[in-house]
Amino acid sequence: YQRRVHGGKLQSLHPEGLLVALNEPTEWALGLHLLRFGSVVDSITQDLFPNKMCEFLKDLVMKFNEFYNAVKVIDAPDRDSKLLLCEATAKVLKHGLGLLGIGVVEKI
């Protein structure tokens, strides 16, 4: 993901060229938290404190919950952008849990 600020709004460019616009405060909080994932991984590989990943993931699901409760996703005019943010959250959560040796289910 590439990041840029356009018109006072943070935007992230998906590797496939899709744009993620972070317009609402909860979108900002979630998007910025997702961007910390790489530095958390770097940190735990250097100091060997996996609890930092647990804390990061706990905060991630809390921020996602706030986002999902505050913002319409399916009926939103920028639905695709919000779905990409949901997809990014799912990927980071799955990868973070995988690093901790915890598997995830794809469907319930």
Side-chain angles (χ1 to χ4, degrees):
Y1 289 86
Q2 298 174 353
R3 298 169 299 220
R4 66 180 177 195
V5 175
H6 178 68
K9 298 178 181 176
L10 180 68
Q11 297 178 328
S12 180
L13 191 61
H14 188 272
E16 296 173 10
L18 304 170
L19 192 64
V20 178
L22 306 175
N23 301 318
E24 302 292 328
T26 55
E27 290 174 312
W28 269 88
L30 179 58
L32 292 174
H33 192 75
L34 287 167
L35 293 174
R36 291 187 45 234
F37 182 66
S39 63
V40 171
V41 172
D42 289 344
S43 175
I44 64 172
T45 57
Q46 290 176 4
D47 60 22
L48 302 178
F49 290 125
N51 62 302
K52 289 182 180 179
M53 181 60 71
C54 298
E55 292 169 14
F56 172 84
L57 294 175
K58 176 191 66 86
D59 291 343
L60 176 63
V61 297
M62 289 174 61
K63 289 182 187 312
F64 180 79
N65 189 41
E66 291 169 5
F67 156 75
Y68 196 78
N69 285 320
V71 177
K72 285 186 177 182
V73 175
I74 300 301
D75 295 330
D78 55 346
R79 174 181 180 259
D80 292 342
S81 176
K82 291 180 180 1
L83 287 175
L84 285 173
L85 188 57
C86 292
E87 178 186 352
T89 302
K91 286 182 179 182
V92 168
L93 183 59
K94 181 178 181 178
H95 191 64
L97 289 170
L99 291 173
L100 294 170
I102 302 170
V104 297
V105 295
E106 296 295 326
K107 271 190 168 179
I108 294 181

